[in-house]
Amino acid sequence: GSARRECRGLARAALRLDSPAMEELLTEVLDRYGLPAAWDEVMAPALHAVGRKWETAGERYIEVEHLLSWHISGALRGVRAAGSPVTGAGLSLLACVPGESHTLALEALAATLARHGLPVRMFGAALPVEALEQAVRRTGPGAVVLWAQSHGTADRALAARVAAIE
């Protein structure tokens, strides 16, 4: 449907390095579909398509992936709460595990939580273990989400360590 066309349009704009077109398309899909559907049906598939293009072309097109990622990240950070903050909702702390530099899926989650008026702290890429532990101790979050894009960066021991913090 139209989401598929918009996904292709976003990927084509990225290939042309057309920042204004990407910004316009991202704004339109967020307004039209809402954040979760815009992420699932347009943003993530466009990123995957651009990533496949880069993988099959050697080092070519990495600038396309970086530019598209930057625009998606900006669009996600621009998402605001739809209403008043949810009272009594526990804080969610979001961070990438050490060694993980891919943040966009976690940024989409942070934007979705914020859109629903839920308190969130997003720490981004490759948060060192000590900093993560301090953030958990200082904020007392109701939830901690650790993101690893691949098995190579995933760390179950770290998740257990964080879960044990009082």
Side-chain angles (χ1 to χ4, degrees), residues 132-142 144 159-166:
L132 173 62
E133 290 173 339
Q134 283 303 314
V136 170
R137 284 188 185 95
R138 288 175 63 194
T139 62
V144 176
R161 188 171 161 176
V162 169
I165 295 173
E166 292 189 29

Side-chain angles (χ1 to χ4, degrees), residues 48-65:
H48 290 298
V50 167
R52 282 190 304 275
K53 183 103 172 144
W54 170 68
E55 285 175 356
T56 60
E59 288 300 309
R60 292 186 62 216
Y61 299 110
I62 195 162
E63 73 282 3
V64 173
E65 185 177 21

Side-chain angles (χ1 to χ4, degrees), residues 10-17 22 47 50-51 53-54 60-70:
L10 183 58
R12 281 193 304 269
L15 284 170
R16 292 190 314 269
L17 304 178
M22 283 188 280
L47 282 165
V50 167
K53 183 103 172 144
W54 170 68
R60 292 186 62 216
Y61 299 110
I62 195 162
E63 73 282 3
V64 173
E65 185 177 21
H66 280 240
L67 188 65
L68 178 58
S69 295
W70 189 82

Side-chain angles (χ1 to χ4, degrees), residues 82-154:
S84 17
V86 176
T87 11
L91 173 69
S92 293
L93 188 150
L94 288 71
C96 290
V97 297
E100 180 58 67
S101 61
H102 296 90
T103 62
L104 285 176
L106 202 57
E107 290 180 52
L109 175 59
T112 301
L113 293 171
R115 178 83 173 122
H116 290 287
L118 299 170
V120 63
R121 299 294 179 275
M122 169 62 169
F123 289 91
L127 188 65
V129 173
E130 299 78 22
L132 173 62
E133 290 173 339
Q134 283 303 314
V136 170
R137 284 188 185 95
R138 288 175 63 194
T139 62
V144 176
V145 177
L146 299 177
W147 174 254
Q149 180 136 331
S150 69
H151 291 285
T153 56

Side-chain angles (χ1 to χ4, degrees), residues 1-33:
S2 59
R4 186 172 290 149
R5 283 190 303 279
E6 289 156 336
C7 175
R8 284 193 309 269
L10 183 58
R12 281 193 304 269
L15 284 170
R16 292 190 314 269
L17 304 178
D18 187 345
S19 289
M22 283 188 280
E23 286 180 15
E24 184 177 323
L25 280 162
L26 288 166
T27 300
E28 287 174 12
V29 298
L30 283 167
D31 289 346
R32 183 173 188 178
Y33 300 112

